[in-house]
Each structure stands twice: as structure tokens, then as C-alpha cells.
Amino acid sequence: SVLFFPGEIELNAMTMQLQSQGITYGHLKYNADGKILVEDLSTEILLSEVSSSYGDNSKGKTSFDHHKAMFGLLTMIRIIYKGSSNFAC
């Protein structure tokens, strides 16, 4: 089944990546505004980042959230790739 978790939710892929590099500080974690998890695989496949409230055009905040989401998605792709033996290099 596929589950959606709204709100400030920790991205497990980023936590796993940080732990693999020996970074275990609790305050260094990625909180997404939402994520979709494939429960059978225990794999996150999509994250949501909301830049600001409706009608607010803060370019700095929008740019920051876009870059944050990009790094989160790249980390998710890496975790999916490392966890699957079906991909060819």
C-alpha cells in the first residue's frame, strides 16, 4: 500500500545517508512538508516542499525550498538504487 504523511515529517532516506557517513546528530535531519511511502518496500518515493503561503512571493524562500527538495529527491533516488539488485550499472 501507499501512504501519504503530511506535515513536518522526517525523510528517512536522508537520515540513512547521514548515518552511513557517521553523522548521527539529532538536529541534522531533513524534515519535508510531506512524503509518500510505499509501505511494502519501506521506501519513500515522493516528497513535498511548500515554499510559502498562497500569494506570498518570497523568491529567497522559494529558491531555498527548491534546492532542499532537489537534494532530498537525489538522496531518495540513491537509497532506492542501493536497495535494489534489479538495476544494472
Side-chain angles (χ1 to χ4, degrees):
S1 65
V2 177
L3 302 171
F4 174 68
F5 295 94
E8 286 288 315
I9 188 82
E10 184 175 355
L11 190 66
N12 296 333
M14 188 65 80
T15 302
M16 291 170 55
Q17 200 61 52
L18 291 170
Q19 289 174 348
S20 73
Q21 296 176 10
I23 302 170
T24 57
Y25 305 112
H27 68 281
L28 295 177
K29 61 183 177 180
Y30 182 109
N31 285 329
D33 292 329
K35 71 178 180 180
I36 293 180
L37 174 79
V38 177
E39 193 174 31
D40 299 338
L41 304 174
S42 297
T43 304
E44 298 154 328
I45 59 168
L46 186 66
L47 66 88
S48 170
E49 279 296 337
V50 178
S51 296
S52 56
S53 61
Y54 181 74
D56 185 10
N57 284 335
S58 173
K59 290 184 181 183
K61 177 74 170 138
T62 301
S63 178
F64 174 80
D65 282 342
H66 285 184
H67 284 89
K68 181 181 170 188
M70 178 191 64
F71 284 111
L73 289 171
L74 288 173
T75 302
M76 289 167 53
I77 291 169
R78 183 166 192 227
I79 293 296
I80 291 168
Y81 175 78
K82 288 176 74 175
S84 175
S85 60
N86 298 331
F87 295 119
C89 292

